[in-house]
Amino acid sequence: MAFLFALFLTGLANAAALFLVASGLSLIFGVTRIVNFAHGSFYMLGAFIGVTLMELLPGAVGFWGAILLTGLAVGLIGALVEIVVLRRIYRAPELFQLVATFGVILVIQDLALMIWGAEDRLGPRAPGLRGVWRIFGEPVPKFDIVLIAITPVILLALWYLITRTRLGILVRAATQDREMVGALGVNQAWLFTGVFALGSALAGWGGALQLPKGGANLLMDFNIIGAVFVVVVIGGMGSLPGAFIAAVLISVLNAFGVAFLPESTLVLMFVVMAAVLILRPYGLLGREETAGEHGQVGAPETPIRPYGPRGVALTVALLVLLAALPAFAEPFLLTLVVDITVFALFAASLHFILGTGGMVSFGHAAFFGGGAYAAALLVYHSETPMELAFLCAPLAAGVLALGIGWFCIRLSGVYFAMLTLAFSQLVWSLAFQWRSVTRGDDGLINIWPADWLNAPMPYYYLTLALGVGGILTLRHIIHAPFGYALRAGRDSPRQAEAMGINVGRVQLVAFALAGAMAGLAGGLFVFSKGSVFPTELEITKSFDALIVVFLGGVKTLAGGVVGASFMTSVEHWLTRLEYWRLVLGLVIIAVVILMPEGIVGTLKRLAGRLRPSTEEAPR
């Protein structure tokens, strides 16, 4: 019993830093509606700045003073990011800010590497709190007890700020209806800057406060951001009390999981999140999200239509060029085009449900990696012919998407996205931990094409035919009655239902079709590389697809393909540099600021200005 109580106290102590970071993210999302994936980077900066200040400032006053100064410093950095980057794109399509925050992550990663180096930094012990207290005979670190005492104080301070001050009244008002707040004469720009700075400061304090327990390293941002989003979603987006309850719940369960079922710790919090969202679709204390209610839908979309003669001619010319490429190109260029085609098909499958169906998936890699693993497992364990194994890739991914989609389509917005992420993590953990079948992180190797395809040129033409064919099939479906029904369900689900459209069924079929196409891309990928590893199922793979869709233009049909081509080409060249993440992050931020409608959307708008309005604008 004493051991269980000690585990409970450990969980409560771990909840302190997690709640600080999660409360900052909850505040930022509640007011600005930004899905801030750079929030983990502010947590990492808090740890590095904190350990640096603690080395300079001696004693207990220096330790706690360093934590205070760290939060202020990270808050200023957050304000700078908001003013320079995010303020310019608040009117862009919903979730477009996610691309900008991804660029911020890359920039901060390399800046931290340049300033503090690649080695981990150990945090100092808190002065006067170096020992343990015995509770029921079990040792509990003194610092843990202090953290347990601090956490409710932080919650009360935030509650007072939100409910008893003028700033809190404005924050709550902006959370409910920020357009009305602006109409009443409140300077929204500075309100958003202040809230973003406060949220960043909370993340910085969280990073500094955990130093005696964890230290500082360059992987902290990615290690914390998943848990933070899980906490915010379980509690309810924008709810501070919900974030507190969820932080305690996740931290305590994780402490018990480490002690009694270590294998579960990789996915335990995602299982809890999936269960909560299935039972309470908007979190414990959250409310329903309505698409576009916060004025971030951007400019109205023009009706979709097939390419005109000029668009068809350009497409045919590009396909002819690609078909003739092996005649004069080097093998490296053929490999690059294969990579671009595979990634373009993967991105187009996500764009199909995101742009046309309004379903934002954070777990689309489950279908890409699922298709790759389905084919690889058949070849590796049963020596199935490549042709048959390849056919199973889209089929298995489609069935997987059908099962996951059955749960997910009941939700919308960020909650839908996070539930797809939860299921994706379950699939990843299966591939990572079921070593007897998947070989874990050693991966499945020697998965090569059949003899008649085992050369650069034949496989290039196979990838080109299936990749382009898959993309054109998706475009054809978008222009078919099914595509219009899917778009109707996105724009006005109640009116679509009144017209006789079964919105849920249409969305489920679209989700399964997108999963099958992602599986097709995964099948092409595994036979082109000859191997597959659990990394193809990770969160970062899903985010890569999201980034390229938004970069290309989520409101254009060619956005996913153009974004994938742009990102893959840029990465191939920039990865040769020492600080390539810094350069790539700056490129992404520049594209986001200069082209808020995406690359294709911006080019389309410029083309419309340059020619008479009577001419047809390409989609």
Side-chain angles (χ1 to χ4, degrees):
M1 188 64 183
F3 176 66
L4 296 179
F5 187 69
L7 284 178
F8 178 71
L9 293 179
T10 300
L12 290 181
N14 293 338
L18 186 58
F19 169 65
L20 268 173
V21 184
S23 61
L25 181 63
S26 187
L27 277 174
I28 290 173
F29 179 84
V31 175
T32 67
R33 318 315 289 183
I34 292 176
V35 181
N36 181 25
F37 277 102
H39 205 65
S41 299
F42 297 128
Y43 170 78
M44 180 184 70
L45 285 177
F48 276 110
I49 295 174
V51 76
T52 302
L53 292 176
M54 289 173 187
E55 292 172 354
L56 298 175
L57 304 175
V61 175
F63 177 84
W64 296 105
I67 292 177
L68 178 63
L69 292 175
T70 295
L72 297 177
V74 176
L76 289 175
I77 295 173
L80 180 64
V81 169
E82 195 277 339
I83 293 172
V84 174
V85 180
L86 298 176
R87 183 179 291 184
R88 303 168 183 268
I89 55 174
Y90 279 126
R91 294 294 177 180
E94 292 179 358
L95 291 178
F96 190 67
Q97 296 86 356
L98 181 149
V99 183
T101 61
F102 181 77
V104 172
I105 290 174
L106 297 177
V107 171
I108 292 179
Q109 269 277 326
D110 267 7
L111 288 179
L113 177 62
M114 294 167 63
I115 297 172
W116 288 287
E119 295 184 2
D120 296 355
R121 304 286 292 273
L122 295 177
R125 297 293 182 182
L129 299 172
R130 288 184 169 86
V132 298
W133 283 317
R134 292 197 171 270
I135 300 177
F136 300 125
E138 291 290 333
V140 179
K142 293 180 179 179
F143 189 69
D144 281 8
I145 301 299
V146 172
L147 289 179
I148 293 172
I150 287 176
T151 306
V153 173
I154 295 171
L155 175 62
L156 289 174
L158 289 174
W159 172 83
Y160 182 85
L161 175 67
I162 297 300
T163 62
R164 293 291 186 269
T165 65
R166 173 173 170 77
L167 174 62
I169 293 173
L170 293 177
V171 168
R172 285 186 290 123
T175 300
Q176 298 295 323
D177 192 339
R178 74 182 194 183
E179 295 298 323
M180 182 59 70
V181 170
L184 293 174
V186 176
N187 190 323
Q188 289 190 67
W190 287 112
L191 176 62
F192 290 1
T193 302
V195 170
F196 199 91
L198 176 59
S200 302
L202 288 169
W205 278 321
L209 200 60
Q210 62 79 45
L211 281 171
K213 294 169 64 67
N217 61 76
L218 292 175
L219 297 177
M220 293 178 66
D221 50 352
F222 288 108
N223 290 339
I224 191 71
I225 193 63
V228 170
F229 268 95
V230 167
V231 165
V232 172
V233 168
I234 289 177
M237 298 295 286
S239 171
L240 291 178
F244 175 76
I245 296 171
V248 172
L249 175 65
I250 292 299
S251 298
V252 171
L253 286 177
N254 190 63
F256 279 88
V258 170
F260 296 108
L261 195 61
E263 298 85 0
S264 69
T265 54
L266 290 175
V267 294
L268 182 59
M269 62 181 178
F270 293 100
V271 172
V272 174
M273 181 178 70
V276 169
L277 290 182
I278 290 172
L279 296 175
R280 294 185 61 87
Y282 306 107
L284 297 176
L285 301 178
R287 67 182 181 90
E288 181 177 359
E289 290 289 315
T290 303
E293 67 174 323
H294 301 286
Q296 288 184 245
V297 293
E301 295 186 50
T302 56
I304 59 174
R305 55 182 179 270
Y307 276 138
R310 181 178 300 178
V312 172
L314 289 175
T315 302
V316 170
L318 177 61
L319 292 179
V320 170
L321 175 62
L322 291 175
L325 196 62
F328 57 86
E330 297 181 356
F332 167 77
L333 185 57
L334 295 183
T335 302
L336 177 60
V337 174
V338 167
D339 291 344
I340 291 175
T341 304
V342 170
F343 196 29
L345 177 59
F346 177 42
S349 68
L350 176 61
H351 185 262
F352 176 70
I353 57 172
L354 197 162
T356 308
M359 295 178 282
V360 182
S361 173
F362 287 173
H364 207 59
F367 314 124
F368 178 84
Y373 264 99
L377 287 170
L378 288 173
V379 173
Y380 188 84
H381 288 290
S382 62
E383 297 184 355
T384 303
M386 175 262 180
E387 295 86 351
L388 181 59
F390 181 81
L391 290 175
C392 291
L395 179 63
V399 172
L400 178 63
L402 193 64
I404 292 176
W406 189 82
F407 291 97
C408 295
I409 61 169
R410 308 177 188 190
L411 282 68
S412 62
V414 176
Y415 298 101
F416 172 91
M418 292 303 293
L419 188 55
T420 62
L421 175 61
F423 280 110
S424 176
Q425 283 298 103
L426 293 177
V427 176
W428 168 82
S429 68
L430 187 67
F432 187 80
Q433 293 182 313
W434 199 3
R435 295 189 63 87
S436 61
V437 175
T438 65
R439 301 185 73 243
D441 55 355
D442 291 331
L444 298 171
I445 57 177
N446 293 323
I447 313 297
W448 297 110
D451 292 339
W452 64 281
L453 287 171
N454 199 10
M457 186 179 298
Y459 200 81
Y460 170 84
Y461 281 118
L462 175 71
T463 303
L464 187 64
L466 294 180
V468 173
I471 293 169
L472 293 179
T473 299
L474 290 174
R475 288 183 60 92
H476 178 75
I477 293 173
I478 290 172
H479 294 302
F482 179 84
Y484 285 97
L486 181 62
R487 178 166 169 159
R490 179 202 67 185
D491 292 340
S492 183
R494 292 181 181 177
Q495 187 174 357
E497 291 280 0
M499 294 171 61
I501 298 174
N502 190 325
V503 174
R505 182 182 300 173
V506 169
Q507 290 179 336
L508 181 58
V509 172
F511 195 82
L513 177 61
M517 286 299 180
L520 177 61
L524 290 170
F525 171 84
V526 68
F527 287 109
S528 70
K529 301 301 181 184
S531 60
V532 62
F533 298 88
T535 51
E536 304 308 323
L537 292 159
E538 288 182 349
I539 299 174
T540 52
K541 191 72 175 182
S542 298
F543 288 167
D544 287 344
L546 271 174
I547 298 304
V548 301
V549 168
F550 280 103
L551 275 180
V554 70
K555 293 187 176 183
T556 63
L557 298 182
V561 176
V562 173
S565 304
F566 171 80
M567 182 64 78
T568 305
S569 302
V570 169
E571 280 188 342
H572 266 280
W573 293 105
L574 290 183
T575 48
R576 306 175 186 182
L577 304 176
E578 182 179 2
Y579 297 110
W580 65 271
R581 293 182 187 85
L582 175 62
V583 179
L584 180 60
L586 292 175
V587 169
I588 291 174
I589 292 172
V591 171
V592 167
I593 292 176
L594 298 176
M595 300 180 175
E597 298 171 341
I599 297 173
V600 178
T602 301
L603 292 178
K604 174 191 168 188
R605 176 169 50 83
L606 292 177
R609 292 179 179 179
L610 293 176
R611 63 171 177 263
S613 57
T614 55
E615 291 189 30
E616 181 182 17
R619 290 287 296 176

